[in-house]
């Protein structure tokens, strides 16, 4: 029976405190492609009948690594400690709450902060954080407005960059890496697949939910986009005239009203298929034949395929984006919830590419 190996490590104090942990959970990412990144959290319940918390030097803003088979899967900083002391001290426990780099970015306020690099803004913001190096950016984004002074938390600014460029953040060995929309194809690695039955080359899921058309979440047919200091741009898909509007409002850093309109049009067209599905699945490590692919998805891989057969339907396989993950670690097993979005939302016109979009198979023909 295969099992993932987890290590919990106080990086600031260079102390492995795994032996004191009873169980832990963490989450990171988001539910759907239109959600903001709100920040990931972890809770660690550990024995404290002999002062194990103090021995591990766990205190506010200590940096903690949650490692999966030796690789960082979650990096967080202590946000608080809840002590559950018993009268005699025996069986006392403590719950450690961690917040990831997104949580800290939401707690750090910029004052009249201008950004000078309009195509690598995440790299610039990463250097402005108190704890540097927790965000990174691969490849240049589309141009975003950065010259204006900004007053507000950095997490909001990062989400505005995502809304403007339409890319997404990947978690790669615990670091939040921004990949622009036009570069996401560089991270599509074949060979990773979720399936009903686990095999040596497929990750088996133990629960499976298909979701269609949640208004203003996974289904949108109209978008109002307001670029900073520019006029609001509205785009509406033809489906709105059939079923009525499902509209979202988005604040962006697009540099022109034309770019703002393009963003609105992309949202209204890419999200307006009521038959498009997202998925919520749960996988357990001890149910797998091999753990190699599950380990990779928890640490470095953000896209995969999923195969399923709807009741009364036929076997179907499609590409998905792993938007969010929740991990629950116990002594004898690990459970992982995945929020998966159809890769349709990230496709564009690359005519000779069967994954990123082929003529007549994408809704983005505008």
């Amino acid at each position: 029976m295969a099992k993932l190996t987890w290590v919990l490590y106080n990086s600031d104090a260079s102390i492995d405190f795994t032996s004191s942990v009873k169980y832990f959970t963490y989450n990171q990412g988001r539910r759907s492609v239109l959600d903001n990144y709100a920040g990931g959290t972890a809770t660690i319940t550990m024995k404290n009948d002999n002062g194990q918390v103090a021995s591990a030097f766990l205190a506010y803003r200590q940096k903690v690594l949650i490692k999966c088979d030796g690789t960082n899967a979650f990096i967080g900083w202590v946000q608080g400690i809840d002590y559950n002391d018993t009268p005699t001290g025996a069986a006392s426990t403590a719950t450690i709450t961690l917040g990831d780099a997104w949580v800290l970015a939401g707690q750090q306020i910029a004052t009249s902060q201008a950004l000078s690099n309009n195509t690598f803004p995440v790299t610039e913001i990463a250097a402005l954080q108190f704890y540097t190096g927790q965000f990174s950016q691969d490849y240049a984004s589309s141009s975003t407005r950065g010259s204006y002074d900004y007053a507000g938390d950095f997490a909001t600014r990062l989400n505005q960059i995502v809304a403007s460029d339409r890319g997404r953040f990947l978690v790669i060995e615990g670091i939040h890496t921004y990949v622009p929309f036009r570069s996401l194809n560089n991270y599509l690695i074949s060979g990773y697949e979720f399936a009903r039955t686990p095999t040596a080359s497929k990750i088996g899921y133990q629960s499976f939910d298909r979701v269609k058309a949640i208004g203003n979440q996974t289904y949108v047919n109209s978008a109002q986009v307001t670029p900073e200091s520019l006029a609001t741009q509205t785009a509406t898909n033809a489906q709105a005239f059939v079923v009525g509007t499902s509209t979202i409002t988005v604040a962006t850093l697009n540099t022109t009203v034309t770019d703002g309109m393009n963003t609105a049009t992309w949202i209204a067209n890419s999200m307006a298929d009521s038959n498009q599905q997202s998925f919520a699945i749960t996988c357990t490590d001890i149910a797998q034949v091999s753990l190699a692919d599950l380990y990779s998805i928890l640490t470095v891989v953000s896209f995969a395929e999923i195969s399923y057969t709807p009741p009364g339907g036929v076997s179907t396989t499609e590409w998905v984006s792993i938007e969010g993950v929740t991990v629950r670690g116990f002594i004898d097993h690990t459970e992982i919830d995945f929020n998966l979005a159809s890769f349709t939302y990230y496709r564009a016109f690359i005519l000779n590419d069967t994954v990123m979009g082929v003529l007549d198979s994408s809704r983005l023909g505008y």
Side-chain angles (χ1 to χ4, degrees), residues 225-299:
V225 171
T226 305
E228 187 177 70
S229 301
L230 297 174
T232 297
Q233 304 298 304
T234 301
T236 302
N237 185 276
Q239 286 295 310
F241 302 105
V242 179
V243 298
T245 56
S246 179
T247 306
I248 63 167
T249 58
V250 181
T252 73
L253 302 174
N254 296 123
T255 56
T256 68
V257 292
T258 299
D259 287 344
M261 177 57 79
N262 286 341
T263 300
T265 304
W266 176 81
I267 294 172
N269 285 345
S270 67
M271 305 291 292
D273 184 354
S274 61
N275 289 316
Q276 190 59 65
Q277 300 179 123
S278 57
F279 307 90
I281 64 172
T282 299
C283 304
T284 305
D285 60 348
I286 59 175
Q288 308 305 318
V289 174
S290 170
L291 292 176
D293 288 354
L294 186 58
Y295 154 77
S296 294
I297 282 177
L298 287 172
T299 55

Side-chain angles (χ1 to χ4, degrees), residues 146-179:
S147 58
Y148 288 151
D149 290 348
Y150 173 67
D153 68 82
F154 280 105
T156 296
R157 199 64 165 180
L158 288 165
N159 276 306
Q160 289 175 339
I161 293 167
V162 176
S164 307
D165 182 66
R166 310 187 303 281
R168 60 156 293 192
F169 275 91
L170 316 181
V171 181
I172 301 176
E173 296 187 6
I175 302 300
H176 301 272
T177 304
Y178 182 68
V179 181

Side-chain angles (χ1 to χ4, degrees), residues 104-258:
L104 269 59
Q107 296 172 352
Q108 185 171 336
I109 306 299
T111 302
S112 299
Q113 178 65 58
L115 300 179
S116 60
N117 196 324
N118 289 354
T119 56
F120 279 89
V122 175
T123 300
E124 193 170 355
I125 289 175
L128 294 170
Q129 300 301 290
F130 184 84
Y131 298 98
T132 60
Q134 302 307 308
F135 294 98
S136 67
Q137 180 176 337
D138 286 353
Y139 306 97
S141 68
S142 57
S143 184
T144 57
R145 187 180 299 273
S147 58
Y148 288 151
D149 290 348
Y150 173 67
D153 68 82
F154 280 105
T156 296
R157 199 64 165 180
L158 288 165
N159 276 306
Q160 289 175 339
I161 293 167
V162 176
S164 307
D165 182 66
R166 310 187 303 281
R168 60 156 293 192
F169 275 91
L170 316 181
V171 181
I172 301 176
E173 296 187 6
I175 302 300
H176 301 272
T177 304
Y178 182 68
V179 181
F181 176 82
R182 60 191 178 191
S183 301
L184 285 169
N185 60 303
N186 295 317
Y187 291 84
L188 290 174
I189 304 172
S190 60
Y192 296 93
E193 182 177 340
F194 296 106
R196 175 65 71 184
T197 303
T199 68
S201 59
K202 297 180 181 180
I203 302 168
Y205 47 78
Q206 283 65 65
S207 71
F208 174 83
D209 291 308
R210 292 182 294 125
V211 181
K212 285 186 178 181
I214 300 178
N216 287 47
Q217 292 185 35
T218 60
Y219 178 82
V220 171
N221 58 32
S222 180
Q224 294 181 349
V225 171
T226 305
E228 187 177 70
S229 301
L230 297 174
T232 297
Q233 304 298 304
T234 301
T236 302
N237 185 276
Q239 286 295 310
F241 302 105
V242 179
V243 298
T245 56
S246 179
T247 306
I248 63 167
T249 58
V250 181
T252 73
L253 302 174
N254 296 123
T255 56
T256 68
V257 292
T258 299

Side-chain angles (χ1 to χ4, degrees), residues 166 181 265-271 344-349 356 361-366:
R166 310 187 303 281
F181 176 82
T265 304
W266 176 81
I267 294 172
N269 285 345
S270 67
M271 305 291 292
T344 296
Y345 301 134
Y346 294 108
R347 283 181 177 141
F349 278 122
M356 288 301 293
S361 72
S362 173
R363 298 181 64 86
L364 304 187
Y366 58 85

